[in-house]
């Protein structure tokens, strides 16, 4: 293992909550509906994050807890019942309804698991109800996906059929490309979780080999292990290096010769290396500070250092699962400083002291830092963009070179104007 410096920090945090993940989950599973049980603030957050759909009926909504609900649970249950009945009557196409908990529902201790159980009995054979928490208390936004997937695992039937299971939401076109490569390698039985329809959940068992596509799925992984699945240890498929090692790890688990992997992916690697060059010119030698938010930070740091030659000042991550991240940590340069958790004020002090060329951070911190003349990149963009795979390496680098390039242009213009 490389000699990485681990630190922990606690204090005030500045991150999006788990409700945000509804934005990509509802696009992934169009037959599902996400009903947030929360306040008007929750409704505003999800609506502004997902945008307003003009032509389609939305597949997310909020059962608003009013002040009187916060004082007594009876009203909250009534309101939830009313909203659910109305929704199911109006939207017969909904096959799975996620009841998503929030800070307010947690504060009043609304037991959504029991609510879901009762609704499952009432709507048996029509709609399935599952619940998870998207609350921002002690969680960060990508954990919403972890909670949603974990909630679906009990609905997955058992099977001992050998298969490769890709776990974590991917853009559909990226998923198709991955599946094509795996088929060329000789792995024919491949499924994804979450699937493209909530009713098409993969069957799982002791011959299911799980290959993670996202690093923020600790709870999901734990439950898949309990169901007997084997977790393939690999870095994540970001950049050329991570994706290559990811394919190699899968091939090893299916006893496929390494040479075959190289034969199939070399043309992709050659193309991706060429496409990376122009971004590397901008990123090389630039100093990077990653603040904790998405849990993708360690993989991004590895890519931006190893393939784009950026210098790492500090790599923040909201949570660190050393077991899931061990292959990534092994690839980091010696003396990388990883900080788990957040004390936002202390971290901002360190940002200012170290004077980085680029800071990866949440949207709430980006504007103030930009106002101080520090270039930023929103970490949330990484989960909304198709960044996985060898052929996406240049696009991933482009997300970071763009703000630096823009700054260079602005500086030149300012110099000319003066
Ligand atoms: S779940 Fe909590 S953090 Fe998220 S929008 Fe609602 S109140 Fe805010």
């Amino acid at each position: 293992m490389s000699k990485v410096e681990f630190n922990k920090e606690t204090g005030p945090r500045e991150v999006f909550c788990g409700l945000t993940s509804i934005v990509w989950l509802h696009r992934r599973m169009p037959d599902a509906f996400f009903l947030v049980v929360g306040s008007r603030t929750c409704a505003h957050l999800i609506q502004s994050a997902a945008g307003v759909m003009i032509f389609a009926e939305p597949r997310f909504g909020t059962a608003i807890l009013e002040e009187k609900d916060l004082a007594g649970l009876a009203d909250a249950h009534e309101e939830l019942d009313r909203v659910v009945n109305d929704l199911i009557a109006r939207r017969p196409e909904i096959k799975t309804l996620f009841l998503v908990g929030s800070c307010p529902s947690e504060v009043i201790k609304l037991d959504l698991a029991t609510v879901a159980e009762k609704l499952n009995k009432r709507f048996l054979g029509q709609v399935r109800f599952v619940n998870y928490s998207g609350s921002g208390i002690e969680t960060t936004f990508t954990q919403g996906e972890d909670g949603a997937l974990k909630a679906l695992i009990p609905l997955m039937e058992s099977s001992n059929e050998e298969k490769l299971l890709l776990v974590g939401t991917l853009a559909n076109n990226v998923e198709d490309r991955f599946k094509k490569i795996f088929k060329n390698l000789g792995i024919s039985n491949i499924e994804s979780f979450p699937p493209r329809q909530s009713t098409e959940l993969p069957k799982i068992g002791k011959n299911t080999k799980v290959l993670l596509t996202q690093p923020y799925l600790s709870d999901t992984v734990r439950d898949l292990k309990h169901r007997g699945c084997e977790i393939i240890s690999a870095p994540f498929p970001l950049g050329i290096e991570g994706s290559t090692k990811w394919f190699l790890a899968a091939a090893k688990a299916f006893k496929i010769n390494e040479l075959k992997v190289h034969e199939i992916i070399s043309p992709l690697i050659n193309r991706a290396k060429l496409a990376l060059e122009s971004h590397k010119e901008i990123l090389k030698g630039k100093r990077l500070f990653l603040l904790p938010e998405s849990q993708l930070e360690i993989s991004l740091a590895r890519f931006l250092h190893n393939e784009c030659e950026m210098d790492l000042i500090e790599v923040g991550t909201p949570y660190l699962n050393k077991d899931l991240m061990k292959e990534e940590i092994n690839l980091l340069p010696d003396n990388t400083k990883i900080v788990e958790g957040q004390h936002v004020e202390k971290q901002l002090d360190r940002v200012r002291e170290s004077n980085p060329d680029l800071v990866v951070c949440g949207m709430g911190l980006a504007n103030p830092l930009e106002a101080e003349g520090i270039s930023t990149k929103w970490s949330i963009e990484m989960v909304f963009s198709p960044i996985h795979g060898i052929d996406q390496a240049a696009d991933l680098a482009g997300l970071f070179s763009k703000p630096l390039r823009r700054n260079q242009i602005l500086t030149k213009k300012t110099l000319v104007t003066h």
Side-chain angles (χ1 to χ4, degrees), residues 46-109:
I46 188 67
Q47 212 147 29
S48 47
V52 178
M53 282 185 267
I54 300 167
F55 303 111
E57 278 243 62
R59 281 178 284 101
F60 56 86
T62 311
I64 307 269
L65 296 170
E66 303 286 357
E67 269 177 35
K68 64 180 169 48
D69 301 321
L70 299 174
L73 284 177
D75 291 334
H77 281 289
E78 269 171 34
E79 168 67 2
L80 193 52
D81 251 21
R82 191 191 59 73
V83 173
V84 169
N85 285 335
D86 186 43
L87 196 57
I88 306 290
R90 274 193 307 113
R91 308 282 298 274
E93 76 280 10
I94 297 172
K95 300 290 178 239
T96 308
L97 201 150
F98 288 86
L99 294 172
V100 190
S102 65
C103 306
S105 73
E106 280 191 6
V107 167
I108 63 165
K109 308 241 178 301

Side-chain angles (χ1 to χ4, degrees), residues 182-249:
F182 284 123
K183 288 213 164 118
N184 289 341
L185 283 172
I187 305 172
S188 51
N189 195 1
I190 316 158
E191 289 188 85
S192 298
F193 180 49
R196 293 189 188 187
Q197 294 293 329
S198 69
T199 44
E200 291 170 5
L201 291 172
K203 294 179 182 169
I204 50 171
K206 64 177 169 43
N207 292 320
T208 303
K209 298 177 200 299
V210 169
L211 189 59
L212 291 174
T213 64
Q214 304 284 8
Y216 44 73
L217 299 170
S218 295
D219 289 350
T220 304
V221 166
R222 195 177 316 120
D223 286 13
L224 287 170
K225 270 191 199 163
H226 284 156
R227 291 287 300 271
C229 302
E230 176 195 334
I231 313 296
I232 300 172
S233 184
F236 293 88
L238 297 180
I240 300 171
E241 182 188 32
S243 307
T244 302
K245 290 186 187 300
W246 187 76
F247 282 120
L248 284 168

Side-chain angles (χ1 to χ4, degrees), residues 17 19 39 41-42 45 102-104 134-136:
C17 67
L19 299 188
S39 63
T41 311
C42 308
L45 172 103
S102 65
C103 306
S135 145

Side-chain angles (χ1 to χ4, degrees), residues 334-352:
D334 280 352
N335 303 322
T336 301
K337 183 181 177 191
I338 294 184
V339 180
E340 181 187 8
Q342 186 167 42
H343 187 302
V344 70
E345 280 142 27
K346 287 186 188 166
Q347 271 167 342
L348 286 176
D349 286 346
R350 294 201 295 278
V351 167
R352 290 177 186 117

